[in-house]
Amino acid sequence: MTAPLSANHLTGEPLRATGKHIGIAGAGLMGRLLAWQLLRCGHRVGLFDRDKKNGEASAGRVAAAMLAPYSEALGRERAIFDWGLESITLWPRLLAQLEHDSGVQVSFQHRGSVVVAHQQDRSSLRHFNQRLTTQLPDRLDAVEYCDQQRLCQLEPELADTFTDAIFLKDEGCLDNWALLDALAIAIEKLGGQWHEDAEVTQVNSAVIVNIDETHTFDTVIDARGFGAKAQTPGLRGVRGEVLWVRAPDVRLSRPVRLMHPRYQLYIAPKPDSIYVIGATEIESESVAPITVRSSLELLSALYSVHTSFAEAHIIRAFAQCRPAFMDNLPRIECVDDCIKVNGLYRHGYLLAPVVLQATLSALQGNFHHPLVNTSCQAARVAEK
Ligand SMILES: Cc1cc2nc3c(=O)[nH]c(=O)nc-3n(C[C@H](O)[C@H](O)[C@H](O)COP(=O)(O)OP(=O)(O)OC[C@H]3O[C@@H](n4cnc5c(N)ncnc54)[C@H](O)[C@@H]3O)c2cc1C
């Protein structure tokens, strides 16, 4: 890799123009965050996506954007939990910067989430609690087993149906549609060059190939998510489906997760009485529309949580692939003048600030974050 980029990103150091020209393939969650931060650092950025700016084909747009380090910790690497908590502390600062740059305030909720189970499935709730106790014994201060009275204080409309719940105080969610729109505005305002409908066929050292046109940069970043599969050994897609409903008669203020012996449902509240219901997790790389079976499972579970969802309107249905490696951990791979950021799986929003920070550090020549591929660290050492 050539000379490191300017030492400035989330550190808040003053901006300075460096003249570095950086190409980014993929304008989903990571591509937009990186483009925006690099522009803030004074670099020139070219951003290529095969989609329009609204990015409806990205996993980032389809996601529920739950920030759920506890729920996601079970059976997974401890690092997901630790990076998730770290990211949750970084989001408010990023969103404040973004509001400054775009004029858009992105809703960020960090008031916890509630896990419930029907009477016949209460063993699932107890099992969930036991697993949390075993896996995160040092972090149980943010886990509260609630009786009906406490549940009534937290989410009054759930207390008629459920007798107990688990309150995960350190979880939350954000408005990802507002975030992606705000990032597009900020990138434009800061002078980023956005190429819509630009299918990228190759990302190599310092080069992005868009169909038969070759664009050369000082450094390139491949942030195409599942779309990078052909050029990324070991990457797979994990299909996820979500439904959007508008339910003005329902008042849930926090994300709610329903434990069920066969599948889990979550309900993520968004502005304007919209709830995102999801998400299926299927080992398939199909992005065909949501199936009848998945819709029935999601909607019947939804109705069982709160009967007022019966009158809700189904306004959108999405299916998309989460980009994942075999270990389901993100990776930042640096080879020559190309950085590949991928494998965020079902943790894109949960981990984005930490992945962003580690990628920006790698661009500056600091490869020490454990997310950064070690062979690249070795290459760097060999260079010296
Ligand atoms: C149903 C579902 C629910 C989810 N829920 C959550 C959640 O609650 N919390 C959470 O933290 N995470 C969640 N995720 C995961 C999260 O959305 C992803 O981890 C994240 O979006 C990955 O970011 P990315 O930038 O790598 O990929 P993406 O956001 O998918 O962006 C990739 C971009 O690259 C573009 N692209 C692809 N191929 C090409 C090409 N050849 N040429 C040009 N452009 C290309 C695409 O159009 C897209 O814009 C969910 C995902 C799904 C599918």
Side-chain angles (χ1 to χ4, degrees):
M1 185 163 295
T2 52
L5 300 166
S6 73
N8 172 298
H9 43 86
L10 297 174
T11 56
E13 291 166 32
L15 302 182
R16 66 185 170 92
T18 61
K20 278 272 182 192
H21 195 197
I22 299 170
I24 301 179
L29 173 61
M30 286 316 302
R32 285 177 201 223
L33 282 169
L34 282 159
W36 166 55
Q37 283 289 315
L38 288 165
L39 286 161
R40 289 195 112 237
C41 293
H43 305 296
R44 287 185 298 137
V45 174
L47 187 57
F48 299 77
D49 201 290
R50 63 183 172 197
D51 201 1
K52 301 276 184 217
K53 267 190 196 171
N54 70 16
E56 288 211 3
S58 67
R61 189 64 91 168
V62 168
M66 304 247 293
L67 308 173
Y70 283 80
S71 309
E72 293 296 329
L74 298 184
R76 300 210 171 90
E77 298 267 344
R78 168 73 189 223
I80 298 286
F81 175 79
D82 293 331
W83 292 330
L85 280 190
E86 190 183 341
S87 287
I88 287 177
T89 65
L90 291 170
W91 269 121
R93 180 155 160 210
L94 276 174
L95 296 180
Q97 282 180 354
L98 186 57
E99 185 176 352
H100 174 270
D101 292 350
S102 67
V104 177
Q105 192 177 15
V106 177
S107 145
F108 171 81
Q109 188 268 88
H110 185 201
R111 293 187 302 114
S113 73
V114 169
V115 186
V116 291
H118 289 294
Q119 199 65 22
Q120 66 275 20
D121 303 325
R122 282 178 72 208
S123 58
S124 306
L125 195 64
R126 284 193 294 271
H127 183 54
F128 181 81
N129 199 39
Q130 277 163 4
R131 292 179 71 200
L132 282 176
T133 311
T134 313
Q135 211 170 316
L136 302 169
D138 52 327
R139 302 309 299 247
L140 295 176
D141 48 319
V143 180
E144 181 185 344
Y145 205 103
C146 310
D147 60 15
Q148 203 165 15
Q149 198 181 356
R150 175 72 173 128
L151 177 60
C152 190
Q153 289 170 350
L154 293 168
E155 293 295 340
E157 296 193 2
L158 294 181
D160 288 343
T161 309
F162 301 99
T163 54
D164 45 8
I166 297 171
F167 178 37
L168 301 171
K169 298 175 193 172
D170 245 339
E171 296 202 338
C173 64
L174 58 77
D175 182 355
N176 53 323
W177 281 49
L179 173 75
L180 296 175
D181 291 345
L183 286 167
I185 292 169
I187 290 165
E188 194 174 325
K189 281 192 176 170
L190 293 169
Q193 203 183 5
W194 194 307
H195 304 261
E196 291 179 286
D197 301 317
E199 176 80 32
V200 172
T201 48
Q202 290 281 325
V203 182
N204 295 319
S205 180
V207 162
I208 288 178
V209 182
N210 160 219
I211 311 288
D212 47 8
E213 224 178 317
T214 299
H215 302 261
T216 306
F217 298 90
D218 296 314
T219 300
V220 294
I221 300 174
D222 189 350
R224 287 177 292 164
F226 176 56
K229 182 178 159 77
Q231 255 200 292
T232 314
L235 189 73
R236 76 187 199 285
V238 181
R239 177 177 164 90
E241 300 153 307
V242 293
L243 289 167
W244 282 46
V245 302
R246 181 172 283 122
D249 296 338
V250 176
R251 265 165 212 85
L252 298 176
S253 62
R254 299 175 174 79
V256 175
R257 199 174 284 262
L258 176 71
M259 303 305 297
H260 186 278
R262 284 196 302 282
Y263 52 81
Q264 286 188 21
L265 167 96
Y266 59 68
I267 305 168
K270 302 284 172 188
D272 304 323
S273 303
I274 290 173
Y275 295 88
V276 178
I277 318 304
T280 58
E281 167 136 350
I282 302 166
E283 285 293 338
S284 156
E285 296 187 339
S286 161
V287 290
I290 187 168
T291 61
V292 169
R293 180 198 177 118
S294 296
S295 309
L296 287 172
E297 284 181 357
L298 291 174
L299 290 173
S300 57
L302 176 69
Y303 176 65
S304 79
V305 169
H306 194 316
T307 50
S308 291
F309 276 118
E311 300 306 323
H313 292 277
I314 301 169
I315 53 175
R316 303 295 292 265
F318 295 100
Q320 196 41 262
C321 278
R322 307 167 177 99
F325 291 105
M326 278 313 286
D327 58 5
N328 293 329
L329 290 172
R331 269 184 217 169
I332 301 165
E333 292 185 18
C334 315
V335 180
D336 299 328
D337 288 311
C338 176
I339 296 195
K340 298 182 177 208
V341 183
N342 217 321
L344 277 93
Y345 181 43
R346 48 186 290 143
H347 306 130
Y349 287 91
L350 179 62
L351 303 181
V354 163
V355 176
L356 174 67
Q357 210 166 28
T359 310
L360 294 171
S361 294
L363 278 159
Q364 291 176 297
N366 176 354
F367 300 98
H368 298 302
H369 197 284
L371 279 167
V372 178
N373 187 310
T374 46
S375 62
C376 134
Q377 290 178 31
R380 186 75 193 167
V381 171
E383 256 176 50
K384 286 182 179 167

